[in-house]
Amino acid sequence: MRILIIEDELRVANAIKRSLETKDYMINIESNSNRGLLKALNQPYDLLILDLMLPGSYTGKDITKILRNKGVNMPILMLTALGDVEDRIAGLRLGADDYLVKPFSMRELIARTQVLLRRPQNLISSILKVGNLELNSDTFEVKRKKINIQLSGREYKMLRYLMYNHDQIISKEQIINHVWDEDTLIMPNTVEVYIGYLRKKIDKNFPNEPKLIHTAFGFGYMIGLVNSDV
Ligand code: CA
């Protein structure tokens, strides 16, 4: 499950990120409303955690309205200050699903996040498919042609990230940011090593199947069904 946090108080955003990562969600943070809106529009997130007052051209209310008008239906959890009753009501009317009043406990945040993500329209994202490769993010099972593939925790996280973003070229930096803690110093060639492990398990062990993991030389990697390297 991928969650986008649009929040300019980085202390709050990072605390949310750390709490949700303990539940194995993948988190992106944007502090600026313009960049946040672009990400929410263009990337497949399962949930948006949205602050009301943001730097840039938009408020949280504006972002909610624009997303709903464009048919983006991921759940939105608004973060509001204590006095913002009118804003909160307006946000819910515009299509936000729930709100939390700052300061909130991380346990409450996790509970509400889990409720929002359990709604039926989001169930589809618990099984990711690329060709005949399947990853079930509820059971952590990975299968190709219905055959179980054993992955280490790191390999699993990397594969899940690539599959969430299938048919898009993903840079090594993006992989590092999503698969390792931000405090860990990771060299780009570590990514190559792990891609090598995944290639063996996903592609080389299935020699009669189409290759799924592709290298975009100088850019990064992509998972998808294409005829040759991109
Ligand atoms: Ca703010």
Side-chain angles (χ1 to χ4, degrees), residues 7-8 51 53:
E7 161 66 272
D8 56 316
D51 189 31
M53 296 306 294

Side-chain angles (χ1 to χ4, degrees), residues 9-177:
E9 279 175 78
L10 282 180
R11 191 182 51 81
V12 175
N14 283 321
I16 297 173
K17 180 172 191 273
R18 279 194 300 273
S19 305
L20 292 176
E21 279 175 346
T22 65
K23 301 293 170 195
D24 215 32
Y25 297 121
M26 287 198 289
I27 313 296
N28 287 147
I29 296 174
E30 261 313 332
S31 56
N32 174 283
S33 64
N34 301 61
R35 284 196 304 270
L37 176 62
L38 270 183
K39 270 199 175 159
L41 280 171
N42 295 317
Q43 294 187 29
Y45 288 101
D46 299 289
L47 174 74
L48 173 61
I49 297 176
L50 179 61
D51 189 31
L52 274 179
M53 296 306 294
L54 294 162
S57 317
Y58 307 102
T59 66
K61 277 192 289 181
D62 298 331
I63 290 176
T64 303
K65 190 174 174 186
I66 292 167
L67 290 174
R68 294 310 187 226
N69 284 344
K70 290 193 181 288
V72 177
N73 67 353
M74 71 181 137
I76 298 176
L77 175 60
M78 283 193 315
L79 305 179
T80 73
L82 192 56
D84 294 341
V85 182
E86 291 305 317
D87 282 339
R88 219 175 293 155
I89 293 167
L92 292 172
R93 284 215 180 104
L94 289 170
D97 297 82
D98 199 359
Y99 64 85
L100 272 172
V101 177
K102 291 180 188 174
F104 46 84
S105 81
M106 287 301 155
R107 284 181 56 205
E108 184 172 14
L109 174 96
I110 288 172
R112 289 184 189 238
T113 297
Q114 288 173 330
V115 168
L116 288 172
L117 287 173
R118 230 180 277 132
R119 290 193 180 168
Q121 73 263 30
N122 303 301
L123 286 180
I124 37 165
S125 53
S126 65
I127 294 182
L128 300 171
K129 282 187 187 172
V130 174
N132 54 13
L133 177 68
E134 278 186 31
L135 181 148
N136 184 326
S137 55
D138 289 333
T139 63
F140 304 102
E141 280 179 319
V142 176
K143 292 177 180 180
R144 188 161 191 191
K145 286 183 81 187
K146 310 282 178 203
I147 298 165
N148 267 311
I149 299 172
Q150 297 297 324
L151 298 180
S152 71
R154 192 74 68 190
E155 291 163 359
Y156 172 84
K157 273 189 155 183
M158 190 180 281
L159 181 65
R160 188 179 55 181
Y161 179 56
L162 289 170
M163 288 179 77
Y164 265 117
N165 296 288
H166 63 89
D167 297 298
Q168 294 176 47
I169 295 170
I170 304 296
S171 70
K172 287 178 188 171
E173 286 70 29
Q174 285 175 301
I175 293 175
I176 290 171
N177 290 337

